[in-house]
Amino acid sequence: MKKLACLLACAVLAGSLAACGGSAYKNTMEPETSQMKAICELAVMDCYYHNVAKFKDEDAAGILFWQKDKHFWIEYSGVVSLGIDASQVALEVDDTLVTITIPEAKVLRCQVDSNELSEDSYIVAKDSARISAEDEVAAFAQAQADLEETAASDTALLSSAQQRAQDLLEEYVQNIGEAVGKDYTIQWVYLDGADSAPQSETNSQAESRNSASA
């Protein structure tokens, strides 16, 4: 993970140097918002799920007291992309203080793999009414919703996605600092997902918090 962070951050830094070139530019170079947005897009974490979604439609067939429910399950696989919304990343540089504003990690993309679905993917209860093609379409939509809900409630994975983006951004700032001879201090400003209210935290505070939780 750290090796990947270094490689990506160095690649972005190298691209910046190659684009502008010259020692005079290196002396005035500093972290850029556009590069940080690109890094966040690279930091997206793909998670693969295999799950079962339940589908039930009560009194779906029959008449009067002979009505039957439709009751079956769909077994599916899917991929969810977790990461930072790069459009909300902001940057301020005040000499050696770098303030980075980022939102909370969230589900960016979610897709059930329809290519892996077959007749065997649908497990019908023995007392269920006949299942139609429309029921299978509805079950697929339910599986998609369940997959996104499952991923959105996985706080551990969301925390990992958040940390991955921050590690890459920190590597980028450190590499810029080494190139220009500056010792940057990073202050993180987190956008609260509920009300977008910023919450600040410096590198030292983050290290203390991580040490306390370890």
Side-chain angles (χ1 to χ4, degrees):
M1 167 60 199
K2 189 168 182 63
K3 183 178 180 181
L4 173 63
C6 290
L7 289 174
L8 291 176
C10 288
V12 172
L13 175 60
S16 299
L17 290 174
C20 299
S23 59
Y25 176 75
K26 291 181 182 180
N27 291 333
T28 60
M29 183 178 61
E30 62 182 26
E32 298 178 359
T33 303
S34 61
Q35 298 292 356
M36 290 194 166
K37 291 180 184 291
I39 289 172
C40 287
E41 291 173 354
L42 289 171
V44 171
M45 187 168 68
D46 289 332
C47 303
Y48 297 87
Y49 287 83
H50 187 80
N51 210 343
V52 176
K54 181 180 179 180
F55 182 91
K56 188 171 184 179
D57 185 7
E58 295 182 353
D59 298 333
I63 57 174
L64 297 177
F65 301 108
W66 299 100
Q67 292 182 329
K68 299 180 69 175
D69 300 337
K70 290 182 179 181
H71 190 192
F72 67 98
W73 297 263
I74 175 175
E75 186 177 7
Y76 65 91
S77 296
V79 59
V80 177
S81 298
L82 306 176
I84 299 297
D85 182 354
S87 67
Q88 293 187 317
V89 174
L91 168 70
E92 291 184 13
V93 181
D94 183 8
D95 193 20
T96 60
L97 176 62
V98 177
T99 302
I100 304 174
T101 301
I102 59 173
E104 295 178 341
K106 65 177 184 178
V107 175
L108 299 177
R109 291 178 293 277
C110 174
Q111 184 61 53
V112 171
D113 189 354
S114 59
N115 294 325
E116 291 192 6
L117 295 179
S118 65
E119 291 185 1
D120 294 334
S121 300
Y122 299 91
I123 307 164
V124 183
K126 65 178 181 179
D127 58 347
S128 172
R130 183 176 177 276
I131 304 303
S132 66
E134 290 77 10
D135 296 324
E136 293 181 355
V137 171
F140 180 84
Q142 183 62 50
Q144 184 89 8
D146 288 351
L147 177 60
E148 184 168 1
E149 182 179 354
T150 298
S153 62
D154 194 331
T155 55
L157 279 178
L158 288 170
S159 178
S160 295
Q162 179 94 21
Q163 191 60 53
R164 180 176 183 175
Q166 288 189 221
D167 287 345
L168 287 172
L169 293 176
E170 187 172 345
E171 291 286 349
Y172 165 68
V173 173
Q174 288 177 348
N175 286 332
I176 291 284
E178 291 176 3
V180 299
K182 284 189 175 182
D183 185 12
Y184 284 117
T185 297
I186 300 176
Q187 176 174 262
W188 298 99
V189 177
Y190 302 103
L191 295 178
D192 190 321
D195 54 15
S196 296
Q199 300 176 355
S200 299
E201 185 177 79
T202 63
N203 275 5
S204 59
Q205 289 173 323
E207 291 172 1
S208 297
R209 175 174 54 80
N210 292 337
S211 298
S213 61

